[in-house]
């Protein structure tokens, strides 16, 4: 880990922006200059926009949130996934509960005393019914009894070097994984204390003197004093106050003092985006881009869902919309900061064929731009889709193509017929999975090279365009022949893109967000906006439901 910045991470689920005011305002009035990342779950688009306006990196909890777990438990998987991708950018990390945390000074001003620093509360596990029960739920009565004289450690704030926090998160996720019963309640607090006391990690320390964090839950009123310096605990000023609202004196001070209120000056000039990765630093303006073709007759009711969900999960991606747009549609595109590429209206029967000619032209234009050439592009021939998470989160090498389901080409008369326009259907091809022509993803040069091969299949054969979705035959020929000169990754249905057109046989879990086959795809494509899955996604992303 060679980063120099510090990172504060937390979870914000099913609440509006306002309760975060004291967390953000108090932090912005310290000398802290690092990044703040909040993993969000079931929050509104307005909340996401306000977080970004105040310089907060917003990460959707869905990609790593685990089924059968509360958000408080599954947050450790999300933290681990984020730091796996971005840990090289940071020196030290604080994991905290933003709703119960306020700051009195920069928590990283002094060097950390250990690789992992846990927060100690003024209570033993055997003296706290809630903490005892959390350990019982996680490990049983005998383990809880064995730990009864250990001091409680609050899971609401943990500090460490990036490597130390990664070791802590690996331990937490290991303890939470593989459980056969639903993980509910405050089990994460029980697991945290088990890791602290029963699975001691190398160079980890339970901070007995509140040198960084003062956990207020069991602090007696006599120990609390309000002074010009702020809140003093036994005469000492801790940089961080955890559970500030559990102590009456502290609660009154935080609710009334002006340093815990936001003002307009705390909003940043532009929306916060994710940390710069080493790859991003090498390519100065290599943002990612979505390039999508719009046909009003087919896509009109999808347009606000497509754009709203995409902006909800990724505020930094460029969005290029190709098609014919009326005045109200242009206003919506402008609202979501989209770049418009005009294309004439075409017959809906051949729209999915003609779309690829216009999409190819836009890719060529993007490559010619000097100031903002995309890194990777996601290319779609329609806007009938919703984004549960950032579709560029799991970039692969070469070109990514996506299977519509487990059906093979030889089992589909529709696809056999289209493939026959471009090649013979030998036994090997018949056993290949069906690749969809609806979308592809990859580095811009790879995407352009693929389109050169694709359009070459149609040279001198424009009559084929009158066959509905004939382009899919060309996709499957090119994908499975292996002669493209670059790697092709074929993703199974649901892994990165899920096709909500017909029954897939994949288990769909909607209890904690949406998981399909045990994972969260980057994009869900559908034929209708009112299916049960689409309605659930719209609710989760706070998109219009009518």
């Amino acid at each position: 880990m060679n980063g120099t910045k510090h990172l504060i991470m937390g979870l914000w689920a099913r609440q509006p922006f306002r309760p975060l005011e004291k967390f953000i305002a108090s932090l912005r009035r310290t000398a802290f200059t690092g990044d703040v990342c909040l993993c969000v779950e079931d929050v509104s688009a307005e909340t996401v926009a306000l977080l970004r306006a105040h310089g907060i990196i917003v990460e959707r909890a869905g990609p790593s949130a685990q089924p059968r777990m509360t958000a408080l438990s599954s947050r450790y998987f999300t933290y681990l996934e984020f730091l796996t991708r971005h840990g090289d950018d940071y020196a030290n990390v604080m994991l905290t509960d933003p709703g119960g945390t306020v700051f009195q000074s920069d928590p990283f001003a002094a060097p950390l005393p250990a690789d992992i620093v846990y927060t100690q509360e003024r209570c033993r596990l055997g003296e706290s019914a809630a903490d005892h029960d959390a350990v019982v739920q996680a490990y049983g009565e005998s383990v809880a009894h064995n730990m009864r004289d250990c001091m409680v450690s609050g899971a609401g704030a943990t500090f460490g070097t990036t490597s130390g926090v990664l070791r802590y998160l690996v331990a937490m996720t290991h303890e939470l994984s593989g459980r056969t019963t639903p993980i509910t309640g405050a089990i994460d607090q029980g697991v945290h204390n088990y890791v602290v006391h029963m699975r001691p990690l190398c160079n980890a320390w339970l901070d007995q003197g509140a040198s960084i964090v003062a956990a207020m839950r069991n602090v007696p009123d006599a120990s609390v004093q309000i002074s010009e310096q702020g809140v003093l605990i036994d005469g000492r000023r801790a940089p961080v106050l955890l559970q500030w609202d559990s102590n009456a004196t502290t609660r009154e001070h935080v609710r009334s003092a002006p340093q815990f209120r936001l003002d307009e000056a705390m909003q940043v000039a532009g929306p916060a985006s994710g940390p710069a990765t080493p790859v991003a630093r090498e390519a100065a303006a290599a943002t990612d881009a979505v390039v999508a073709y719009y046909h009003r007759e087919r896509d009109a009711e999808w347009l606000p869902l497509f754009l709203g969900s995409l902006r909800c999960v990724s505020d930094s991606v460029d969005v290029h919309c190709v098609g014919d747009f009326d005045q109200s549609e242009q206003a919506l595109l402008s609202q979501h900061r989209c770049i418009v590429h005009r294309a004439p209206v075409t017959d809906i029967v051949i729209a999915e064929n003609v779309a690829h000619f216009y999409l190819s032209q836009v890719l060529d234009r993007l490559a010619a731009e000097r100031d903002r050439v995309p890194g990777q592009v996601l290319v779609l021939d329609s806007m009938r889709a919703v984004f549960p998470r950032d579709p560029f989160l799991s970039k692969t090498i070469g070109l990514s193509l996506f299977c519509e389901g487990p059906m093979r080409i030889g089992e589909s008369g529709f696809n056999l017929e289209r493939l026959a326009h471009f090649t013979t259907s030998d036994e090997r091809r018949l056993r290949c999975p069906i690749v969809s022509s609806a979308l592809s993803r990859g580095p811009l040069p790879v995407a352009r090279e693929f389109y050169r091969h694709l359009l070459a299949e149609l040279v001198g054969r424009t009559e084929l365009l009158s066959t509905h979705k004939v382009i899919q035959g060309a996709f499957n020929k090119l994908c499975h022949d292996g002669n493209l000169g670059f790697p092709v990754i074929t993703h199974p249905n649901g892994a990165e893109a899920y096709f909500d057109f017909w029954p897939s046989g994949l288990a769909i879990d909607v209890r904690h967000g949406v998981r399909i086959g045990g994972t969260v795809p980057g994009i869900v494509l559908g034929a209708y906006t009112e299916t049960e899955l689409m309605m659930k996604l719209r609710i989760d992303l706070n998109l219009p439901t009518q």
Side-chain angles (χ1 to χ4, degrees):
M1 308 300 168
N2 52 18
T4 58
K5 293 189 296 183
H6 304 307
L7 172 68
I8 296 174
M9 285 194 77
L11 170 76
W12 195 243
R14 292 176 291 280
Q15 294 191 67
F17 174 81
R18 197 64 187 174
L20 285 170
E21 178 179 19
K22 297 169 180 60
F23 170 81
I24 298 172
S26 61
L27 180 62
R28 294 306 185 210
R29 288 189 169 91
T30 72
F32 176 78
T33 58
D35 287 345
V36 182
C37 174
L38 291 186
C39 304
V40 301
E41 185 172 307
D42 293 339
V43 301
S44 68
E46 178 186 10
T47 296
V48 171
L50 285 168
L51 289 172
R52 288 173 174 150
H54 285 87
I56 309 295
I57 298 168
V58 178
E59 185 82 0
R60 281 277 162 188
S64 301
Q66 300 296 297
R68 305 167 66 84
M69 287 189 189
T70 62
L72 284 176
S73 290
S74 65
R75 62 180 162 162
Y76 297 100
F77 295 82
T78 305
Y79 295 163
L80 179 59
E81 198 273 338
F82 181 88
L83 285 179
T84 300
R85 286 186 284 123
H86 299 301
D88 285 344
D89 292 316
Y90 301 106
N92 299 309
V93 179
M94 172 188 181
L95 307 177
T96 194
D97 167 23
T101 301
V102 293
F103 298 87
Q104 301 198 102
S105 63
D106 181 358
F108 297 104
L112 294 178
D115 278 348
I116 307 170
V117 182
Y118 301 120
T119 299
Q120 179 174 292
E121 299 190 24
R122 296 193 181 191
C123 181
R124 299 186 185 277
L125 278 162
E127 300 167 348
S128 168
D131 293 294
H132 172 270
D133 290 348
V135 177
V136 171
Q137 183 186 3
Y139 297 101
E141 186 65 52
S142 60
V143 172
H145 182 72
N146 185 57
M147 295 169 58
R148 68 189 185 279
D149 291 325
C150 296
M151 297 301 293
V152 172
S153 175
T158 300
F159 283 78
T161 62
T162 302
S163 59
V165 171
L166 280 168
R167 285 191 287 112
Y168 165 73
L169 292 172
V170 167
M172 287 294 295
T173 53
H174 175 79
E175 292 296 323
L176 287 164
S177 295
R179 293 175 179 262
T180 56
T181 57
I183 296 177
T184 58
I187 192 173
D188 66 296
Q189 174 75 357
V191 171
H192 170 82
N193 276 277
Y194 181 88
V195 168
V196 171
H197 297 294
M198 298 291 289
R199 280 195 58 183
L201 301 174
C202 180
N203 202 19
W205 178 63
L206 182 58
D207 183 4
Q208 301 173 4
S211 61
I212 304 176
V213 179
M216 303 300 298
R217 183 168 58 158
N218 296 294
V219 176
D221 288 340
S223 296
V224 182
Q225 177 189 358
I226 307 301
S227 73
E228 292 183 358
Q229 296 176 284
V231 178
L232 304 181
I233 312 297
D234 294 326
R236 291 177 295 179
R237 180 175 181 260
V240 181
L241 300 178
L242 183 66
Q243 308 152 350
W244 58 267
D245 58 345
S246 63
N247 176 272
T249 304
T250 307
R251 181 169 60 246
E252 182 179 351
H253 171 70
V254 171
R255 287 178 175 176
S256 60
Q259 63 263 37
F260 301 102
R261 297 175 191 163
L262 288 170
D263 57 49
E264 291 184 5
M266 292 180 177
Q267 294 195 23
V268 296
S273 58
T277 64
V279 172
R281 284 193 290 266
E282 291 171 8
T287 57
D288 298 317
V290 172
V291 184
Y293 178 79
Y294 176 76
H295 190 284
R296 182 176 299 111
E297 184 180 349
R298 180 193 62 186
D299 300 340
E301 63 180 335
W302 288 92
L303 186 61
L305 305 179
F306 182 94
L307 298 176
S309 62
L310 180 55
R311 280 299 178 222
C312 205
V313 301
S314 178
D315 199 59
S316 59
V317 67
D318 288 343
V319 184
H320 296 265
C321 300
V322 187
D324 179 70
F325 303 97
D326 63 24
Q327 189 172 355
S328 63
E329 292 162 347
Q330 289 184 60
L332 187 62
L333 294 171
S334 176
Q335 176 188 336
H336 291 92
R337 304 188 316 284
C338 302
I339 300 109
V340 175
H341 302 266
R342 292 284 180 185
V345 180
T346 189
D347 191 301
I348 192 170
V349 174
I350 63 171
E352 286 156 316
N353 296 327
V354 174
H356 292 278
F357 287 90
Y358 296 120
L359 292 168
S360 176
Q361 292 173 6
V362 172
L363 295 181
D364 289 341
R365 287 179 213 155
L366 296 183
E369 292 184 1
R370 294 175 179 267
D371 299 329
R372 199 170 178 86
V373 179
Q376 289 226 349
V377 291
L378 173 66
V379 185
L380 299 109
D381 67 9
S382 85
M383 291 189 171
R384 295 177 296 171
V386 170
F387 296 86
R389 65 163 171 85
D390 184 346
F392 296 101
L393 206 58
S394 305
K395 300 174 189 175
T396 50
I397 63 170
L399 185 74
S400 287
L401 295 174
F402 306 89
C403 295
E404 294 183 349
M407 183 179 288
R408 296 170 175 172
I409 293 174
E411 298 167 346
S412 168
F414 178 93
N415 284 280
L416 271 173
E417 191 176 300
R418 278 141 186 81
L419 182 63
H421 288 292
F422 302 97
T423 189
T424 57
S425 299
D426 58 23
E427 187 62 30
R428 181 189 64 83
R429 290 193 179 95
L430 295 180
R431 293 196 303 270
C432 292
I434 299 167
V435 168
S436 175
S437 59
L439 72 167
S440 61
R441 186 191 64 199
L444 179 59
V446 170
R448 293 180 68 212
E449 181 64 22
F450 174 72
Y451 267 93
R452 280 192 281 273
H453 287 276
L454 183 69
L455 298 184
E457 295 291 329
L458 295 165
V459 171
R461 307 180 69 192
T462 54
E463 75 281 356
L464 289 181
L465 297 179
S466 61
T467 301
H468 172 60
K469 209 169 182 178
V470 73
I471 200 79
Q472 186 148 300
F475 261 75
N476 279 277
K477 178 199 172 183
L478 294 171
C479 172
H480 297 307
D481 278 4
N483 300 320
L484 292 173
F486 49 79
V488 174
I489 310 298
T490 304
H491 298 279
N493 189 25
E496 291 278 89
Y498 178 70
F499 295 83
D500 186 34
F501 293 113
W502 42 76
S504 66
L506 293 173
I508 299 177
D509 187 341
V510 297
R511 290 171 296 176
H512 304 288
V514 171
R515 293 169 188 82
I516 300 169
T519 189
V520 179
I523 182 170
V524 176
L525 300 96
Y528 304 101
T529 60
E530 304 299 323
T531 65
E532 182 179 353
L533 175 59
M534 288 297 179
M535 291 298 292
K536 174 61 177 173
L537 287 169
R538 291 160 72 170
I539 292 170
D540 284 354
L541 295 168
N542 283 270
L543 299 171
T545 54
Q546 290 184 351

